[in-house]
Amino acid sequence: MVDLFAAGLLAAIQPQMLLLIFLGVVVGIIFGSIPGLTAVMAIALCLPMTYGMAPAAGMSLLVALFVGATSGGLIAAILLKIPGTPSSIATTFDGGPMMEKGEGVKALGAGIVFSFIGTILSIIALVFVAPALARVALSFGPHEYFAIAIFSLTLIATLSSGSMTMGIFSGLVGFAVSTVGIAPVDATRRFTFGMVELNSGFSILAVLVGMFAIAEVIKVAEAGRAGSNIRITAPVMKGVKGFGFSMKEFFEQLPNGFRSAVIGIVIGILPGIGAGTSNILAYIAARSRSRTPEEFGKGTLEGVVAPEAANNAGIGGAMIPLLTLGIPGDAVTAILLGGLMMHGIQPGPMLFVTQADLVYTIFAALTVSAIVMLIVEFYGLRIFVKLLAIPRHILLPMILVLCAVGAFGLASRIFDIWTVLGFGILGYAFVKAGIPTAPFIIGFILGPMAETNFRRGLQLSQGDYTGFLTNPISGAFLALAALSIIWQIWSGMRKRPARTSS
Amino acid sequence: MAKSRTKGLVVGATMFVTGLLYFLLASRIPGSGGVDASFFPHMLSIGMILLGAIHLLQSWRQPVAAMPQEMSDDIVEQARATAEDEDALAGEMAPDYLSVVLSLLLIGFFVLLMRPIGFIFAASIYLFLQIALLSPSGKPIPWFRLALMAVVVSAAIFFLFRYGFSLMLPAGPLTPFLS
């Protein structure tokens, strides 16, 4: 393992790779810091640039974007009190007040350093857990994969924001969209309406770009010309130098940072609940364990360290199911999965056997990205702060054009751009109806996995359905899926009388 | 309250109808009976119909605003409020649906024109009109600067992808002049 990681590190510090990682981190931080721009957009826009690259170089660029965008959210969260990304929501609670108290530099410094620590700890977990899990997963058959897909789908649908019916519905629609094209096992054409372009179904990237990037552009259009009057003014950064906190404060925050990182890693591994949730849970844990919980919300360093360590720790955590089982936990890892598949790489346990060098290059690229992120944010903070003032009505149309380029690049077809537009409208409709989009994406990706493995599993057990329940791993995951639904219904019913009485 | 109840009913009905339509389409899939290619689409459509019915019932019985939320912790509530801050800023104004429709039309024309007139021209026209459409109200639009920016950005993207990343975007009438 050490040899493979060392070889990966050697590959990642080659000049071309370093340059790509540097660019990825910088672009990622820009997208993470500007509210309204997301990590998904950053990766979607840079994907066409990787078409001509070797898989290792392409994936290094994409993971660098992931690291940069996750960390970049803290800049707007602290300076503007607006989370650049959902993973920095809790950072605003104390980062904003610290800025108002004149401790903005300290908050930014602590956020950056503990983002770095969170990332590194999660990479360590990834390096040790992923190969072991992959070894276990090698023995998985269709029964296990079907159960894991159903468990993941249930988890994301029940835990996503909004009502549970909406979450499950969103997952089912995503699953339904994935049934377009040639069916697995018996190759029957479904829902193609005689269109040859639909035979292979919808591209995962077209769906993701449409649902996330185009829907965002339409949302800006909804605010109209009056909305463009809302201008974000970049804060004055005069006299900003260093990380702004002492070594004593650093050591005091270490247990909090470590605990938060563990929360981030564990939450990151679970499908469906990524950094958007872990930063809030880490904040709650930090407050309950703090000697001064009353200071939370008024501008305490602990309140910045906890969410920032947790959200970046989700990076390594989310990569574990992605690489070992091919299951993405959220939209960002879903688009990374798309990137891998575009380069002809099928994530799963076999990846660790057939392309171990690539896997370890990705691990190394993540490590180098974390270091680059620390350096770039330390020296380049003033520049990123200036970028916050770029008006969105100029930026988003350009992003739309780049999305169109990315979609066209999939197969040099205008059809794919229409698909992106169609899913953009669907994404906007979801937003207006209050239906969460994340379960849709996971349903779209895991749907074919569930269907294929269900039908194969039935073939293996000669049409006997009980095979899915008698297999210990499959049975356990299906039981967990059922428990998750029952628990959600029960907690919903428990809250209802309380609310009614209040 | 009444508005969110109506919205809940409309959303529930849409979910129900979506499920129904999907069921009808799934019934046209040729199958052998049992677990065939139409099995999952049928299961999914039944799920959608049921969820639509549940949502309709929930919206009918109580206003959407009072529906149970998954988490009620004060911090989570604060998180929700923070996440919605940005939308709230824009939300104070009535949604400009004309702007949405015009933007969608512009995107549609951009995609439609990309092949016949080439990426550079189509993207330039789109960027120019889209940015002008969304420019802040009450301020004069810098037409010349905007046109120049639209052309420069479109050309830069075209050449960067064509020569930098080997992605042959449609060149339209410029094709004979390009290597």
Side-chain angles (χ1 to χ4, degrees):
Chain A
M1 187 198 286
V2 177
D3 293 352
L4 280 166
F5 189 77
L9 207 56
L10 260 179
I13 55 170
Q14 295 302 311
Q16 188 220 356
M17 294 277 266
L18 263 184
L19 183 69
L20 282 173
I21 290 173
F22 175 77
L23 283 176
V25 169
V26 170
V27 174
I29 294 172
I30 294 171
F31 272 73
S33 60
I34 299 176
L37 304 192
T38 60
V40 177
M41 272 188 201
I43 298 175
L45 296 188
C46 292
L47 261 175
M49 298 177 191
T50 71
Y51 291 164
M53 292 179 194
M59 285 315 294
S60 299
L61 173 67
L62 300 184
V63 295
L65 284 161
F66 186 13
V67 172
T70 310
S71 171
L74 75 95
I75 298 173
I78 293 169
L79 298 178
L80 304 173
K81 237 183 154 181
I82 299 171
T85 58
S87 52
S88 290
I89 288 174
T91 313
T92 59
F93 302 163
D94 281 279
M98 277 184 83
M99 186 72 194
E100 283 158 16
K101 282 198 302 190
E103 293 180 335
V105 183
K106 189 194 268 190
L108 283 168
I112 294 168
V113 170
F114 281 92
S115 282
F116 170 75
I117 293 174
T119 313
I120 293 295
L121 287 175
S122 77
I123 297 168
I124 295 171
L126 173 68
V127 171
F128 284 98
V129 176
L133 188 62
R135 271 194 295 276
V136 176
L138 271 175
S139 61
F140 285 5
H143 294 92
E144 286 90 349
Y145 273 112
F146 167 73
I148 292 170
I150 293 296
F151 167 71
S152 308
L153 274 170
T154 316
L155 210 59
I156 189 163
T158 51
L159 294 180
S160 56
S161 57
S163 76
M164 192 172 74
T165 44
M166 298 267 217
I168 299 176
F169 178 78
S170 176
L172 291 187
V173 176
F175 197 152
V177 170
S178 79
T179 58
V180 174
I182 292 173
V185 184
D186 58 11
T188 308
R189 273 200 189 86
R190 296 186 296 196
F191 315 113
T192 56
F193 308 103
M195 293 167 77
V196 185
E197 291 95 335
L198 285 179
N199 278 354
S200 52
F202 293 109
S203 153
I204 176 181
L205 294 171
V207 174
L208 273 166
V209 171
M211 292 292 280
F212 288 91
I214 306 296
E216 197 62 42
V217 178
I218 303 175
K219 264 160 68 186
V220 170
E222 190 192 89
R225 297 190 67 185
S228 302
N229 284 330
I230 302 167
R231 291 293 293 270
I232 293 168
T233 40
V236 183
M237 294 290 288
K238 217 174 167 184
V240 170
K241 220 173 154 188
F243 281 129
F245 60 91
S246 65
M247 282 307 274
K248 184 173 170 270
E249 283 171 315
F250 173 73
F251 284 113
E252 276 173 2
Q253 292 303 324
L254 269 183
N256 176 20
F258 188 75
R259 180 183 54 240
S260 307
V262 172
I263 293 174
I265 295 166
V266 174
I267 297 280
I269 295 173
L270 292 173
I273 38 174
T277 307
S278 70
N279 79 95
I280 297 166
L281 290 182
Y283 184 87
I284 294 170
R287 192 178 70 167
S288 62
R289 297 297 297 261
S290 172
R291 268 174 276 170
T292 51
E294 68 283 356
E295 288 300 314
F296 276 73
K298 294 176 189 163
T300 176
L301 199 59
E302 289 169 274
V304 173
V305 167
E308 282 310 315
N311 64 20
N312 269 61
I315 294 173
M319 296 288 281
I320 294 174
L322 175 75
L323 291 175
T324 55
L325 299 167
I327 292 179
D330 55 14
V332 187
T333 35
I335 200 155
L336 277 179
L337 174 74
L340 278 165
M341 285 159 68
M342 220 178 57
H343 284 281
I345 304 157
Q346 182 61 51
M350 279 309 285
L351 187 66
F352 287 74
V353 180
T354 56
Q355 301 201 50
D357 49 345
L358 175 69
V359 172
Y360 282 88
T361 306
I362 294 174
F363 292 169
L366 275 168
T367 314
V368 177
S369 300
I371 297 165
V372 172
M373 177 226 10
L374 185 72
I375 299 167
V376 167
E377 285 190 343
F378 180 75
Y379 288 105
L381 204 54
R382 287 153 186 270
I383 304 165
F384 294 121
V385 166
K386 285 208 178 91
L387 290 171
L388 292 176
I390 295 179
R392 280 202 289 175
H393 72 276
I394 294 178
L395 216 53
L396 284 163
M398 290 183 190
I399 287 174
L400 185 129
V401 170
L402 285 167
C403 288
V405 171
F408 180 81
L410 289 172
S412 296
R413 297 188 306 190
I414 298 283
F415 172 80
D416 290 314
I417 311 181
W418 286 116
T419 312
V420 167
L421 182 58
F423 282 105
I425 296 170
L426 184 69
Y428 175 68
F430 269 35
V431 172
K432 295 308 285 181
I435 301 172
T437 42
F440 175 92
I441 297 299
I442 305 299
F444 178 76
I445 292 166
L446 296 185
M449 180 175 162
E451 184 177 11
T452 310
N453 286 296
F454 181 74
R455 295 182 67 183
R456 279 195 194 140
L458 269 187
Q459 280 177 340
L460 273 178
S461 51
Q462 277 91 38
D464 183 11
Y465 292 92
T466 55
F468 292 99
L469 299 172
T470 50
N471 178 309
I473 296 173
S474 151
F477 274 108
L478 288 177
L480 280 173
L483 275 177
S484 148
I485 291 183
I486 293 166
W487 183 74
Q488 282 298 321
I489 294 172
W490 181 72
S491 60
M493 284 168 71
R494 222 173 49 146
K495 273 174 195 164
R496 201 172 300 170
R499 275 174 193 265
T500 315
S501 62
S502 67
Chain B
M1 284 291 201
K3 204 176 160 190
S4 55
R5 185 167 181 258
T6 314
K7 185 186 162 188
L9 290 172
V10 171
V11 172
T14 312
M15 287 159 72
F16 188 86
V17 172
T18 307
L20 211 59
L21 283 175
Y22 187 59
F23 184 86
L24 292 174
L25 287 172
S27 304
R28 288 166 54 185
I29 299 171
S32 52
V35 181
D36 54 17
S38 70
F39 177 78
F40 269 88
H42 275 126
M43 290 292 124
L44 294 170
S45 59
I46 291 167
M48 285 182 211
I49 291 168
L50 282 176
L51 287 168
I54 293 170
H55 196 79
L56 268 173
L57 203 69
Q58 280 179 335
S59 307
W60 184 257
R61 282 172 55 185
Q62 60 185 131
V64 169
M67 273 187 184
Q69 299 286 329
E70 272 70 21
M71 302 177 278
S72 60
D73 190 280
D74 58 332
I75 293 172
V76 180
E77 290 300 331
Q78 195 183 345
R80 247 194 213 115
T82 312
E84 284 161 8
D85 254 8
E86 248 197 310
D87 292 337
L89 260 176
E92 284 165 13
M93 297 163 287
D96 185 350
Y97 289 117
L98 179 67
S99 193
V100 172
V101 174
L102 287 175
S103 296
L104 286 175
L105 283 174
L106 282 177
I107 301 170
F109 279 119
F110 163 53
V111 184
L112 210 62
L113 293 176
M114 200 190 280
R115 196 67 86 182
I117 69 167
F119 176 82
I120 298 181
F121 294 122
S124 300
I125 296 167
Y126 166 72
L127 282 176
F128 177 76
L129 294 174
Q130 180 74 82
I131 297 173
L133 178 72
L134 299 176
S135 288
S137 53
K139 282 181 197 163
I141 297 170
W143 295 106
F144 179 72
R145 220 172 63 191
L146 191 58
L148 191 70
M149 188 175 71
V151 174
V152 170
V153 169
S154 307
I157 293 173
F158 179 83
F159 289 111
L160 176 74
F161 277 91
R162 189 178 178 96
Y163 297 111
F165 303 111
S166 311
L167 183 61
M168 295 295 155
L169 289 162
L174 294 178
T175 312
F177 306 103
L178 297 168
S179 58

